[in-house]
Amino acid sequence: MTTHARGVPAVADPGIPAGRSAIVDLLVLGAGPAGCAAALRALQLRPDARVVLLDAAAFPRDKACGDGIAPHGLDVLRALGVPDAVAGYSPVDRMRLRTPGGAEVATPSRRANYVVPRKIFDARLVAAARARGAVLLRQRARSVVTGGTADEPVVIVNGDLRARVVIGADGANSITRRSLGIGPNPPEALAIAVRGYADAPHTPGPPEQLIEMTDEGWPAYAWSFPIGDGRANIGYGMLRSKLAALPGDTGGRTVLHGTLARMLPEQPAHPGTLRAHHLPMSTWRPRQPDGPVLLAGDAASLINPLTGEGIYYALLSGSLAGAAATTATPAQAGAVYRRALDRELGRHLRHTALLAGLAGRRRTLMDSAVRAAGHRTELYDNLIEIGLGRGTIPTASVARLALRRIISTRP
Ligand SMILES: Cc1cc2nc3c(=O)[nH]c(=O)nc-3n(C[C@H](O)[C@H](O)[C@H](O)COP(=O)(O)OP(=O)(O)OC[C@H]3O[C@@H](n4cnc5c(N)ncnc54)[C@H](O)[C@@H]3O)c2cc1C
C-alpha cells in the first residue's frame, strides 16, 4: 500500500545545483547497475531532465557479487552510450559447468563474459551517469511517500526530496519496495551467497569461469571467476529455504564459509574479503504497481533463478524504467514500465521459473542438460542464453517440460 501525504512543502536540497527546481523529474534511489542505467536512459531520452541519483554509500564502494558481467549487460550499456565499462579487463570465453552427477562441459561460449570487481564497474557507471548530468547525492533513503493528486502525483523521499517519478533501484533490501507494501521474497525464492577474493588457479590452457554445483542444499553451487590480475572472485550460494532445512543448528555463516572452503580447497579466500548478501530470485516477482514509483533490478526480484545472475537484468530493467519515467506521465509510468518489462523479459522469466522448479526437484535434469550440452554446441549456447541472457526454452520442449512439472509436483 502506498502512503499518501498531501500538501508537503518543497524543501531545497543543497546537493541539487542552483537553478534546478526542488521537484526533480526523476529521483533514482540506489546507484548500482539498475539505478545508473535508469539515470542514463532518462537523460539519453531527455537531456534536460532533472535527474538525481541517491545512494547511501560513497563511490567507489564494494558490493558482494561474483563480478561476472555477461555480454548481454554490455549490450545494454552500449545502447546507453557507455561502451567502456569493462575496459582494461580481458574477456573470458569459457565457462566450465560441473554437476554433482559427474556431468561436465567447458565449450567456448559464442560470446565472452568479463569479470570486473564491482568496486570498479559500479564506479564507472556512476561516473557515466554524472557525466551525462545526473546529480549524485549521498543519503540513505528512509521513507518514500506518494502525495499530490491521482493525476499529478508527487513522490516525497525522506520528507523533503520531491520528485515526479521515483525509481527504487535500492537492491535486495529495498526500502522503496517496502513503501509500496511489498514484502521480501519467501525463503524458497531468496538465495544467500558469500563471495571472497583468492589467488587465481594455476591451470593449463585459457582462463575459464568455473561453476561447481553440489548436492548439499541443492540447488547450490560454488564458483571461481578469474579476474585477470592474478586473483579470482570465489563464492558459494544456496536458497534460504535449503539453508534453514539443514540438520542441526549450524549458523548460516558457518555453512556458507565452510562449504566454500571445502568445495574450493585450492583457493582459500584472502583474509577479510568474505561478504554475504541476499539474491531475490525472479521465481517470486512483485507486480509492478501503476503510478509514479517504479522498481528495478534486485528491488524487483529480477535475478535469474538458475544462475544467480542479476547485473544484466538490473541494467535492462533500469533502462526500461528510466524510459518510462521520461516518456509517460507520472501517473502512468508504472503501468508503461510493467508492460515494457513484460514485452522484453516476460517469456524468459516464465521459462526460467519453469526450469528452476523442475531442476530444484530433480537434480538429474541438470545432469542430463549439462551432459547433452557437452555433445551439442547449440544446446550449450542455448543453456548459456537461458542462464545469463533472455533465452527461452525451444517451443517443441515447452509442453513436455510443463507436463513433467505437473507430474513432479503431484503428491
Ligand atoms: C554473492 C553474490 C554473487 C553474485 N554474483 C553475480 C554475478 O557474478 N553476476 C551477476 O550478474 N550477478 C551476480 N549477483 C547478483 C547481482 O549482484 C545483483 O543482481 C545486482 O547487483 C543488482 O543490481 P541493483 O542495481 O539492482 O542493486 P545493487 O547492485 O545492490 O545496488 C543497490 C544500491 O542501492 C544502494 N542502497 C540500498 N539501500 C539504500 C537506501 N535505503 N538508500 C540509498 N541507497 C541505498 C546501495 O548502496 C547500492 O549502491 C550476485 C549477488 C550476490 C549476493
Side-chain angles (χ1 to χ4, degrees):
M1 175 189 43
T2 309
T3 325
H4 282 271
R6 295 181 190 280
V8 176
V11 178
D13 190 287
I16 301 170
R20 289 179 184 230
S21 159
I23 299 185
V24 296
D25 296 307
L26 172 61
L27 176 53
V28 184
L29 307 182
C36 288
L40 283 161
R41 183 66 178 141
L43 287 160
Q44 190 178 46
L45 290 170
R46 261 190 56 199
D48 64 337
R50 292 155 307 169
V51 176
V52 173
L53 260 176
L54 188 95
D55 203 290
F59 286 83
R61 60 102 180 88
D62 185 25
K63 153 82 177 77
C65 185
D67 300 336
I69 318 285
H72 313 77
L74 299 180
D75 293 343
V76 177
L77 284 172
R78 227 168 279 119
L80 288 171
V82 184
D84 49 3
V86 295
Y89 288 82
S90 303
V92 185
D93 78 347
R94 265 166 211 266
M95 185 174 283
R96 182 173 296 275
L97 303 174
R98 274 194 204 130
T99 71
E104 183 162 341
V105 61
T107 313
S109 306
R110 232 169 351 121
R111 303 181 68 202
N113 291 296
Y114 287 79
V115 186
V116 184
R118 292 288 298 274
K119 193 166 186 172
I120 290 163
F121 183 73
D122 288 21
R124 288 179 174 181
L125 301 189
V126 168
R130 292 183 76 183
R132 196 166 289 171
V135 173
L136 179 67
L137 285 186
R138 184 169 179 203
Q139 195 178 122
R140 177 169 294 280
R142 297 184 191 282
S143 66
V144 182
V145 175
T146 301
T149 63
D151 289 341
E152 279 190 53
V154 178
V155 191
I156 303 131
V157 171
N158 290 350
D160 62 1
L161 288 171
R162 305 207 303 161
R164 285 160 50 79
V165 175
V166 159
I167 295 177
D170 43 349
N173 302 316
S174 170
I175 173 116
T176 318
R177 171 168 163 153
R178 262 177 277 156
S179 82
L180 290 167
I182 303 169
N185 276 28
E188 59 277 11
L190 185 66
I192 181 160
V194 66
R195 136 356 290 255
Y197 290 102
D199 290 352
H202 299 289
T203 44
E208 51 185 39
Q209 295 188 312
L210 169 69
I211 292 193
E212 174 113 30
M213 302 170 215
T214 170
D215 258 342
E216 282 175 71
W218 176 263
Y221 74 82
W223 70 84
S224 171
F225 294 168
I227 296 169
D229 61 359
R231 292 179 303 155
N233 180 311
I234 57 164
Y236 169 74
M238 67 193 304
L239 287 174
R240 286 239 53 135
S241 52
K242 300 292 174 150
L243 185 63
L246 288 177
D249 57 358
T250 327
R253 187 185 158 96
T254 311
V255 172
L256 294 175
H257 290 206
T259 313
L260 174 61
R262 217 170 38 253
M263 288 187 71
L264 299 176
E266 316 281 308
Q267 290 185 271
H270 295 163
T273 61
L274 288 174
R275 265 185 86 180
H277 200 63
H278 278 128
L279 297 92
M281 301 294 176
S282 61
T283 38
W284 193 91
R285 279 188 309 122
R287 184 173 197 273
Q288 166 64 50
D290 295 352
V293 180
L294 281 51
L295 298 174
D298 282 11
S301 298
L302 282 171
I303 293 188
N304 190 309
L306 295 163
T307 56
E309 206 244 346
I311 296 172
Y312 161 56
Y313 308 103
L315 290 167
L316 179 62
S317 60
S319 173
L320 295 172
T326 30
T327 54
T329 63
Q332 290 173 340
V336 167
Y337 167 55
R338 186 175 64 239
R339 287 195 288 270
L341 198 59
D342 191 50
R343 267 196 308 275
E344 293 287 329
L345 282 179
R347 200 170 146 82
H348 163 80
L349 292 168
R350 286 188 291 277
H351 286 196
T352 46
L354 172 65
L355 285 175
L358 278 169
R361 275 186 198 87
R362 291 239 215 128
R363 195 215 69 208
T364 48
L365 185 79
M366 192 59 86
D367 292 327
S368 317
V370 168
R371 205 162 279 129
H375 302 299
R376 288 171 51 199
T377 312
E378 78 277 10
L379 196 61
Y380 176 80
D381 289 340
N382 203 15
L383 214 58
I384 296 290
E385 279 301 306
I386 289 174
L388 299 182
R390 64 170 87 180
T392 54
I393 307 168
T395 315
S397 312
V398 174
R400 193 160 37 84
L401 286 170
L403 191 65
R404 260 211 219 182
R405 170 130 206 215
I406 293 166
I407 293 166
S408 74
T409 49
R410 268 198 195 146

